[in-house]
Amino acid sequence: VAQHLIAPQLRIAETCIAGLTELLGGYSLIVGAGELHVSQLWSPWDFVTADQQITDEALAADLVRDVTLSSVGAWASSFNHVVLGLSGGLDSSIVATCLSRKRIPFSCITLVTEGATGDERDYARVVSEFVGAPLFEEFQDTSHVDIQRSDASHLPRPIARSFAQSGDLKSLEVATHVQADAFFGGGGGDNVFCYLQ
């Protein structure tokens, strides 16, 4: 718990529940007769040495595009319909393009606040029109936020934010309407592109 409170963005296998660990990205879990074995299959550190660096910018861009299309397509192929949280920013726009190119059925939702800084509908509209997916424009409603209720108390890593309750409710309403079975978003994209804290 102390480690989580000090550095919540540092993701390690241990959770805030004693004895409960998470299988991190790049690792596999092998379940055998009476035993569990975790092994590391991939590490970013394998690619930081000089001989592994890609100096050709066009090749690097092609590789990032190909692996992003492949990854989003692989995740989405398990679902019948996806609801994508779309701001119109870079990361969620990339996910929208990947879903479209892989011909995954999806709808988009953009969350709007009264202030101009919380209204990215113009950008989201451009992206949704480009990829041919319906866009639901939903206003955040502070009456849907209950600061006395914790959305994180049951989680092995208490990271839910109270102010997200309104957006979560709107997303669930859209998902029910379009009969979606998954939510996708661009969250984490900043970390991929070196906004590391």
Side-chain angles (χ1 to χ4, degrees):
V1 171
Q3 188 276 331
H4 174 74
L5 292 173
I6 292 168
Q9 295 176 341
L10 177 61
R11 203 64 175 243
I12 59 174
E14 289 75 20
T15 69
C16 296
I17 299 175
L20 180 66
T21 59
E22 175 183 9
L23 185 66
L24 297 175
Y27 287 80
S28 72
L29 172 66
I30 300 169
V31 180
E35 67 177 2
L36 301 174
H37 177 70
V38 175
S39 63
Q40 187 173 19
L41 300 176
W42 181 88
S43 169
W45 298 112
D46 295 337
F47 302 94
V48 297
T49 59
D51 63 320
Q52 292 293 322
Q53 293 180 6
I54 300 169
T55 56
D56 181 333
E57 290 183 16
L59 174 61
D62 288 344
L63 291 171
V64 169
R65 183 190 62 245
D66 293 347
V67 76
T68 304
L69 280 165
S70 175
S71 297
V72 173
W75 273 105
S77 67
S78 300
F79 305 107
N80 294 316
H81 194 97
V82 170
V83 169
L84 171 64
L86 179 65
S87 67
L90 176 64
D91 302 326
S92 59
S93 298
I94 288 171
V95 176
T97 302
C98 291
L99 291 170
S100 174
R101 287 194 178 179
K102 292 292 185 176
R103 302 192 189 288
I104 305 292
F106 73 105
S107 301
C108 303
I109 180 172
T110 189
L111 299 172
V112 185
T113 64
E114 295 295 334
T117 59
D119 187 352
E120 299 178 316
R121 287 179 290 178
D122 290 342
Y123 305 111
R125 287 173 186 153
V126 169
V127 175
S128 69
E129 289 173 17
F130 179 77
V131 298
L135 175 65
F136 293 83
E137 300 174 8
E138 300 292 334
F139 276 84
Q140 299 272 31
D141 185 345
T142 56
S143 70
H144 295 146
V145 177
D146 180 358
I147 60 170
Q148 295 181 347
R149 185 184 91 219
S150 172
D151 285 355
S153 62
H154 66 288
L155 299 173
R157 280 193 181 84
I159 57 172
R161 300 164 296 194
S162 295
F163 70 83
Q165 291 173 1
S166 174
D168 291 348
L169 178 64
K170 296 292 186 180
S171 295
L172 284 170
E173 290 173 355
V174 169
T176 300
H177 177 72
V178 298
Q179 299 180 329
D181 52 351
F183 293 102
F184 277 44
D190 290 339
N191 297 343
V192 171
F193 294 106
C194 298
Y195 183 66
L196 306 176
Q197 297 178 344

